[in-house]
Amino acid sequence: MPLNLSPVTGSLLKCLKSFHCIPRRGFGSRAASLSSVGLKGRSCLTLKDFTSDEIKRLLWVSGDLKHQIKHEKQYLPLLQGKSIAMIFEKRSTRTRMSTETGFALLGGHPCFLTSQDIHLGVNESSTDTARVLSGLCDIVLARVYSHSTLEELDREASIPIINGLSDLYHPIQILADFLTLQEHYGSLSGLTVSWIGDGNNVLHSFMMTAAKLGVHLKVATPKGYEPDKRVTEEALKLFKQHGTQLVLTSDPMEAAHGSNVLVTDTWVSMGQEEEKKRRLKDFQGYQITMQTGGVAKPDWTFLHCLPRKMEEVDDQVFYSSRSLVFPEAENRKWTIMGLMVSLLTDYTPQIAMPKF
């Protein structure tokens, strides 16, 4: 007799199935290989610096913490006695809430610092700030305008530095995106992701990560809004090395054709407000609609890192069953927790390795 499962129960079982969430005493050889990956003491400025196995390990730990804490209701004080300095030059909802609540949930103490609290590089140099914070806390997450600020902090600090967003990369967003896709599709290898929008920091992080997970990437940007040339050159090498495909075009429908996942982001980032009128004109035709999805694969889904504006994606897509934006937002918490635990401890996941 077939079971009638509620949508919530069915979704939970799908998540558990994709992560094989049954603790086991022994792991297979592939799992043993990932188990031996050590990230303690590392910084995370860009996923360009992480290997395929290291990224998979981060996703594994993140999925494990989500299972243990959210579904099994366990308390895991893995960061008890530790503190994090959260430096925010730019405002944020998801980055602040996920980091602050996640660090506290793991038993640690988060300390939030805005430009009103800490004048990074103004009243005190980034060099001195990095050395001071190294003696006061265990890890720093910095959300900054310039990526060079992160590089200076990392050079001078003796503790891990996490990029909470910079003008060049947004690695913690991409970890959440790939955890969301892994949960939804059951595996990542062979998926095609289509980016339709601005050649920005989120796209750069996709370009540094997708190939390492066996994911193809198709990118459509208006002329003049292409991704950074150096990032593109590095990405082309990565995709060739991993045997995956990178397509660059200015035609949104060409990018969407045959894709599993449609992704966009804001067209006007913080600091670009004066360019808004021109940008809205230049991005005409780039809104993601059901028509865009009509040329994608039958199982297509939609991602957006938020906050979202109507011109980027219409309500019909954004609030549809194809939209994964709210699970994606929640996974910002589990992936930043997985990253912090990996950089600060020797924690080994308790669930079996998911299929990548």
Side-chain angles (χ1 to χ4, degrees):
M1 181 176 178
L3 292 173
N4 292 318
L5 300 176
S6 70
V8 173
T9 304
S11 177
L12 175 58
L13 287 177
K14 186 174 183 180
C15 169
L16 296 182
K17 181 180 178 183
S18 76
F19 268 94
H20 310 294
C21 291
I22 302 173
R24 300 189 306 191
R25 290 184 177 232
F27 296 122
S29 59
R30 187 74 189 103
S33 174
L34 283 191
S35 294
S36 66
V37 171
L39 295 172
K40 187 177 179 181
R42 291 270 298 275
S43 288
C44 180
L45 306 191
T46 165
L47 292 171
K48 171 186 174 182
D49 300 332
F50 287 69
T51 67
S52 173
D53 278 358
E54 288 169 342
I55 295 169
K56 290 174 182 177
R57 166 80 181 199
L58 289 172
L59 294 176
W60 185 12
V61 173
S62 301
D64 173 86
L65 294 178
K66 183 176 184 178
H67 174 69
Q68 303 290 347
I69 296 171
K70 180 178 181 178
H71 301 307
E72 294 295 328
K73 308 300 181 187
Q74 292 189 29
Y75 176 54
L76 299 178
L78 300 172
L79 301 182
Q80 189 168 12
K82 298 186 183 298
S83 59
I84 182 172
M86 301 164 52
I87 301 173
F88 278 55
E89 291 183 343
K90 287 186 171 186
R91 65 184 182 273
S92 168
T93 299
R94 281 148 295 279
T95 302
R96 178 177 179 181
M97 285 298 296
S98 61
T99 306
E100 195 164 334
T101 61
F103 205 84
L105 189 58
L106 292 165
H109 179 77
C111 186
F112 181 67
L113 303 167
T114 70
S115 56
Q116 302 302 312
D117 304 303
I118 182 171
H119 299 282
L120 189 63
V122 181
N123 287 352
E124 186 170 36
S125 69
S126 296
T127 294
D128 291 357
T129 299
R131 295 181 181 184
V132 168
L133 291 178
S134 293
L136 297 176
C137 62
D138 300 278
I139 191 168
V140 171
L141 179 141
R143 185 176 173 91
V144 299
Y145 284 98
S146 173
H147 193 75
S148 61
T149 301
L150 288 166
E151 293 174 331
E152 185 173 358
L153 286 172
D154 189 47
R155 254 193 326 268
E156 300 298 333
S158 58
I159 57 176
I161 307 294
I162 295 176
N163 178 0
L165 175 143
S166 71
D167 58 344
L168 196 57
Y169 294 113
H170 197 357
I172 58 177
Q173 177 63 53
I174 296 311
L175 290 173
D177 288 0
F178 279 120
L179 178 62
T180 304
L181 295 178
Q182 201 283 330
E183 289 176 338
H184 181 81
Y185 288 103
S187 64
L188 295 171
S189 183
L191 290 179
T192 298
V193 171
S194 293
W195 176 274
I196 299 172
D198 193 15
N200 64 12
N201 50 4
V202 180
L203 172 59
H204 292 162
S205 289
F206 263 118
M207 294 170 74
M208 292 295 99
T209 312
K212 298 173 184 177
L213 297 172
V215 174
H216 308 290
L217 183 63
K218 301 168 79 174
V219 177
T221 56
K223 293 188 184 301
Y225 295 91
E226 296 87 356
D228 180 86
K229 185 177 179 181
R230 290 169 300 173
V231 173
T232 301
E233 290 173 352
E234 183 68 27
L236 287 168
K237 295 176 187 175
L238 277 174
F239 278 82
K240 183 178 180 180
Q241 176 187 342
H242 290 275
T244 47
Q245 188 179 30
L246 174 63
V247 175
L248 302 172
T249 180
S250 58
D251 183 349
M253 297 304 279
E254 179 186 347
H257 189 268
S259 175
N260 301 99
V261 189
L262 304 181
V263 192
T264 193
D265 189 12
T266 182
W267 296 347
V268 185
S269 297
M270 281 181 273
Q272 298 175 334
E273 288 79 8
E274 292 182 4
E275 305 173 28
K276 181 176 181 179
K277 188 175 180 180
R278 175 172 60 82
R279 281 177 164 264
L280 291 180
K281 180 181 177 182
D282 292 344
F283 280 84
Q284 293 252 336
Y286 276 75
Q287 184 191 47
I288 293 181
T289 65
M290 285 297 180
Q291 183 179 358
T292 318
V295 299
K297 289 188 176 177
D299 66 348
W300 70 273
T301 53
F302 173 75
L303 294 178
H304 191 304
C305 67
L306 306 178
R308 159 258 186 177
K309 302 292 189 298
M310 177 74 87
E311 60 265 18
E312 300 149 6
V313 53
D314 68 11
D315 281 351
Q316 193 177 3
V317 171
F318 189 77
Y319 292 110
S320 74
S321 60
R322 295 183 180 276
S323 176
L324 303 178
V325 295
F326 297 112
E328 175 188 13
E330 180 193 338
N331 279 337
R332 286 291 306 276
K333 177 175 182 173
W334 302 112
T335 48
I336 192 61
M337 289 168 68
L339 179 60
M340 295 184 298
V341 165
S342 297
L343 302 184
L344 288 174
T345 76
D346 295 312
Y347 178 73
T348 298
Q350 301 303 299
I351 62 170
M353 185 186 75
K355 183 180 178 182
F356 291 108

